[in-house]
Amino acid sequence: MAEKRMLSKVISISEKVNTLPDLFDMLLFTWMIPHSDDFGRLTGSPAKVKALIVPMLSKSIADIDSSLARLHDNGLINWYEAEEEKVIQIESFDKHQQGLHKRTKSKFPDFPGNSGNVQEIPSELNRTEQNGTEEKGIEQEQIFGSSHESMNPFRLFENEGFGTISSMTSELLGDLIDTYSERWVCEAMKISVKKGKRNLGFVEGILKNWKTDGIDEPWGREKDDEESERRNQGTRYGKDQRESEFAFLDNQNRTGR
């Protein structure tokens, strides 16, 4: 069993994790990962989990039992009993770990009815590419997607590096939302991120310009302008390239050769 495990940063925006009712549930779940075997399994006995995972916390065995039940209900673990032994199976474990192609057999029994069905593990290169694509997709969705999180100005402020939300910042964001709406504020913040201007002064400036223009969805025009600029840049590059290719003709005409 490996001494270290991978913990993907996408865990911080996992709905299953963030909807857990207790912070201890989140801690217990993440701390169980490095203690699991190459199949994502570990003992499911609450007493053993306490002794192995959180020996120095003042949590009772009953607390551990309740927390494991909540993790199971949220689909983060499969807490089952097989061969008179309680077992924890961390869901989607294979998806986020490396080096699993070397594993052989777990010392913990399979989930009943799933004996012998070991998932084939892709090569490390393919797994790295796959995980990288997945994380990039989630990050892009967080900034530009249509999820409810991308329309929360306060969440966007923290996730996209604008800073820490103080009482003054919260009040300013609230004023902007009251004046322009959550959608407008979020769209302006996204444009600020793309331009590398992570401050509310820049965001407010975008909002004021949009309001002056009187367009219902001005962020759509921003996207059109960006696309037009990219096309223009491509055209200018092509023109410059053609001019450089035939520059020798101008030199010949000037020298008469």
Side-chain angles (χ1 to χ4, degrees):
M1 183 177 71
E3 291 295 324
K4 298 178 182 179
R5 293 294 180 197
M6 300 291 293
L7 187 63
S8 174
K9 61 184 178 181
V10 301
I11 195 172
S12 62
I13 55 173
S14 164
E15 290 188 6
K16 289 183 179 180
V17 173
N18 282 281
T19 54
L20 288 167
D22 195 318
L23 281 174
F24 176 68
D25 299 340
M26 301 179 190
L27 181 142
L28 184 63
F29 174 66
T30 53
W31 283 16
M32 286 194 301
I33 293 173
H35 289 275
S36 61
D37 68 7
D38 290 340
F39 290 79
R41 296 176 191 166
L42 66 154
T43 178
S45 163
K48 292 180 180 178
V49 168
K50 173 176 171 52
L52 180 67
I53 312 299
V54 288
M56 301 182 70
L57 297 186
S58 57
K59 292 292 181 179
S60 67
I61 295 176
D63 292 333
I64 304 297
D65 189 279
S66 298
S67 183
L68 291 176
R70 290 190 292 267
L71 293 174
H72 176 85
D73 292 341
N74 263 40
L76 289 166
I77 66 171
N78 183 11
W79 191 24
Y80 63 92
E81 189 169 343
E83 300 177 11
E84 300 183 352
E85 181 180 2
K86 286 187 175 181
V87 180
I88 293 169
Q89 169 73 62
I90 297 175
E91 299 291 3
S92 303
F93 179 81
D94 295 353
K95 192 175 180 181
H96 299 289
Q97 302 304 317
Q98 298 180 358
L100 301 183
H101 60 290
K102 301 175 183 178
R103 66 185 182 180
T104 53
K105 180 175 176 59
S106 175
K107 68 176 183 179
F108 297 100
D110 296 322
F111 181 74
N114 196 36
S115 180
N117 295 329
V118 178
Q119 181 179 351
E120 183 179 352
I121 305 299
S123 68
E124 291 303 309
L125 177 60
N126 291 339
R127 285 170 56 77
T128 300
E129 292 175 349
Q130 178 181 342
N131 290 342
T133 301
E134 174 190 311
E135 291 188 7
K136 182 178 180 181
I138 292 175
E139 290 169 355
Q140 290 296 322
E141 178 180 316
Q142 185 183 0
I143 304 176
F144 306 108
S146 58
S147 69
H148 71 280
E149 289 184 350
S150 67
M151 288 298 109
N152 183 328
F154 295 93
R155 178 68 63 84
L156 206 60
F157 186 93
E158 290 187 327
N159 287 349
E160 298 310 321
F162 281 84
T164 303
I165 295 181
S166 63
S167 57
M168 183 180 297
T169 302
S170 180
E171 184 177 347
L172 179 55
L173 267 176
D175 290 343
L176 291 177
I177 293 169
D178 291 341
T179 304
Y180 299 101
S181 81
E182 286 189 346
R183 177 68 187 272
W184 276 54
V185 174
C186 286
E187 294 295 346
M189 290 173 72
K190 294 174 186 177
I191 289 174
S192 298
V193 170
K194 289 192 287 186
K195 294 183 179 296
K197 306 287 186 180
R198 290 175 168 82
N199 65 78
L200 289 184
F202 192 84
V203 172
E204 187 174 11
I206 293 174
L207 292 168
K208 287 180 178 178
N209 288 338
W210 285 352
K211 189 173 183 179
T212 300
D213 292 342
I215 302 174
D216 289 338
E217 294 187 351
W219 49 86
R221 188 192 64 181
E222 294 278 350
K223 293 177 183 177
D224 292 340
D225 290 346
E226 288 178 3
E227 182 62 29
S228 176
E229 178 63 22
R230 282 195 294 270
R231 287 197 298 267
N232 290 338
Q233 287 178 349
T235 302
R236 286 196 297 270
Y237 173 77
K239 181 180 178 182
D240 292 343
Q241 188 178 41
R242 288 193 297 273
E243 288 178 351
S244 64
E245 288 175 351
F246 297 102
F248 72 95
L249 293 177
D250 294 333
N251 292 333
Q252 288 182 357
N253 289 334
R254 284 194 295 269
T255 60
R257 297 178 182 176

